[in-house]
Amino acid sequence: MPIQKVGVVGCGLMGSGIAQVAAQSGFATVVREVSQEVLDKGLKGIEKNLARLVEKGTITEAARGEIRGRLTGTTKLEDFKDCDVVVEAIIEQLPVKRELYAALDGICKPATIFASNTSSLTIIEMATATKRPQRFVGLHFFNPVPVMKLVEVVKSIATDDAVYEEMVEFGAKLGKTPVRASDSTGFIVNRLLVPYLLDAIRALEEGAGSITDIDNSMKLGCGYPMGPFTLLDFVGLDTTYYIADIMFNEFRERRFAPPPLLKRMVLAGWNGRKSGRGFYDYADPTNPKASNL
Ligand code: CAA
Ligand code: NAD
């Protein structure tokens, strides 16, 4: 049976982007959050993005209505029972994800495929919370999801070959270029990107340059679209901290170790752009000011 209905768990930075792209790609999409308040915030972000696409002439007003019509928000996991695929994009913490998958396993039909958007956990350690590890893959999207063209499709040692191929095809149907990655911590992109981002924080701690000068160096000197601190704030410092901690535990190499400054900022609730403060202060979002650290 072709995939018709997609479930997305989490409507934060990534879940909202994945839900938007799934609805834009023609799938009936249901997205779940922990409370109505958080759900409304995520849906509002999607509506803002769609309005911008209409303004730019990328989609018509009628298409916006159809896309919005395909998208339903919920706070109930039971609404995933007849989904063909469920993409999970909740907090990067293994016990929380395992608890969710165990619950979903009891609710979803046997044919439902589970796909995690995890940045750094291995797929097998989540798949074993279910009785369907053969129908479990990684689908790792990139932030902002509506714009970034890549999806890493991850096969665990237990993933069925046909399920994997179906998910590669699904990634392409979402308008992304799928790359095949093995179930190795950080897959391809984060294995290379995370040490770079953490090194930028270490460079700041060691006084190599200021936040603005390090950002400008990588932007103007190397042509990166964002400097590392702008990107860290964009990804979320809490998420980066979880990712680094998981990768360090796996590889036991300093390049993956979360720097003390990152930990202190997360403890202070400075989680980056989404919390209004990180390496930059977003009191005026159009003109972020480097934080005094
Ligand atoms: N949602 C939807 N669309 C967005 C958006 C968002 N959050 N932010 C920007 N856009 C769109 C804009 O509307 C614009 O569209 P058009 O070209 O159609 O007008 C386009 O993106 C470009 O935006 P801007 O002109 O405002 O700004 P920009 O040229 O600086 O591009 C950017 C913004 C695409 C985010 C760019 O800065 C960029 O590529 N940054 C790097 C992002 C990156 O590295 N992402 C990966 C993070 S790591 C990860 O995701 C993995 C992980 O596990 C942590
Ligand atoms: P986020 O903090 O913006 O959003 C996570 C959301 O999940 C929150 O809104 C939270 O309320 C919700 N949530 C928690 N438990 C839930 C549950 N049981 N059911 C439904 N919703 C639940 O985080 P994010 O940046 O969107 O990251 C989500 C996942 O995507 C993580 O695994 C992260 O590693 C991964 N990821 C993040 C990025 C990035 O750049 N931020 C990129 C790729 C992958």
Side-chain angles (χ1 to χ4, degrees), residues 151-169:
V151 62
E152 292 178 314
V153 189
V154 186
K155 188 176 190 298
S156 88
I157 50 168
T159 309
D160 180 85
D161 284 346
V163 167
Y164 184 69
E165 293 308 324
E166 201 179 345
M167 288 296 98
V168 171
E169 210 176 290

Side-chain angles (χ1 to χ4, degrees), residues 31 41 43 46 65 91 120 152 169 182-183 197 206 271 283:
V31 58
K41 191 170 164 232
L43 291 174
I46 296 174
I91 189 169
S120 53
E152 292 178 314
E169 210 176 290
S182 75
D183 194 16
L197 293 175
E206 289 163 21
N271 288 335

Side-chain angles (χ1 to χ4, degrees), residues 14 20 49 52-53 56 58 117-120 140-148 189-190 193-194 197 219 225-226 231 234-235 239-240 243 273:
M14 296 303 289
Q20 180 187 326
N49 281 347
R52 208 161 50 205
L53 294 177
K56 284 189 302 199
T58 313
N117 183 51
T118 183
S119 302
S120 53
H140 186 216
F141 295 89
F142 293 83
N143 184 18
V145 182
V147 179
M148 306 310 279
V189 172
N190 282 341
L193 178 67
V194 171
L197 293 175
K219 237 181 108 166
M226 288 175 164
L231 184 53
F234 190 60
V235 165
T239 303
T240 306
I243 295 172
R273 196 187 287 212

